[in-house]
Amino acid sequence: MGHSEKGMGSTEEIRRHKMHEFTLRAPAIPIITVNGSVDIENVYSVCCDDKAGIGEAVDYLVKEGEEKIIFLYDNMTQSTKRKIEGFALALERNGIRFSDELIINATDTLKGSEEALDGLLENGIKFDSVIATSDLIALGAQKALEKK
């Protein structure tokens, strides 16, 4: 890919760099990203409403009687930031106090998210529901809970 990725920084910066290099090589080809955006000519985005989607998930869980909901994520992308905003707003809308302690960083692997949840359980952190930003994080959380 031309430039070395060493020292580039965040995953978002690396992704943007790769997208930019691709568009330089194929400027006549329109590119459509799904649930992500970059400010590059001839690149278009289709995004879901992360904030509203997570808000609806929280509303549903609260309606089912869940009140101690934690949020697991891997990378702090723009999508994740919108999801956290929706999570916080929905908790408050439902009369549940939001705290940064509810937001847990877990690597995007089965083992990483399983270890994150194991740590919560070992430290006596009480929760009754988990919202995860990816399938792998959700599966790791499920594995940790099955061991309980």
Side-chain angles (χ1 to χ4, degrees), residues 72-75 104-109 112-114 116 137:
L72 296 179
Y73 75 97
D74 55 352
N75 297 310
I104 311 298
N105 183 258
T107 59
D108 192 18
T109 64
S113 58
E114 183 179 356
I137 292 173

Side-chain angles (χ1 to χ4, degrees), residues 4-32:
S4 169
E5 292 176 7
K6 279 191 171 184
M8 282 204 77
S10 73
T11 303
E12 184 71 19
E13 289 170 335
I14 293 169
R15 183 182 64 81
R16 194 169 315 180
H17 175 73
K18 287 180 178 182
M19 182 67 78
H20 180 70
E21 283 191 354
F22 178 79
T23 59
L24 290 176
R25 284 187 264 154
I29 301 171
I31 298 169
I32 299 174

Side-chain angles (χ1 to χ4, degrees), residues 12-75:
E12 184 71 19
E13 289 170 335
I14 293 169
R15 183 182 64 81
R16 194 169 315 180
H17 175 73
K18 287 180 178 182
M19 182 67 78
H20 180 70
E21 283 191 354
F22 178 79
T23 59
L24 290 176
R25 284 187 264 154
I29 301 171
I31 298 169
I32 299 174
T33 65
V34 179
N35 214 27
S37 64
V38 290
D39 189 19
I40 299 175
E41 186 177 339
N42 213 24
V43 177
Y44 308 93
S45 301
V46 177
C47 295
C48 68
D49 190 339
D50 296 315
K51 184 176 161 182
I54 293 297
E56 287 178 23
V58 170
D59 290 342
Y60 174 80
L61 290 170
V62 172
K63 186 179 92 177
E64 294 296 310
E66 312 298 332
E67 293 187 356
K68 295 177 182 162
I69 307 166
I70 61 170
F71 182 94
L72 296 179
Y73 75 97
D74 55 352
N75 297 310

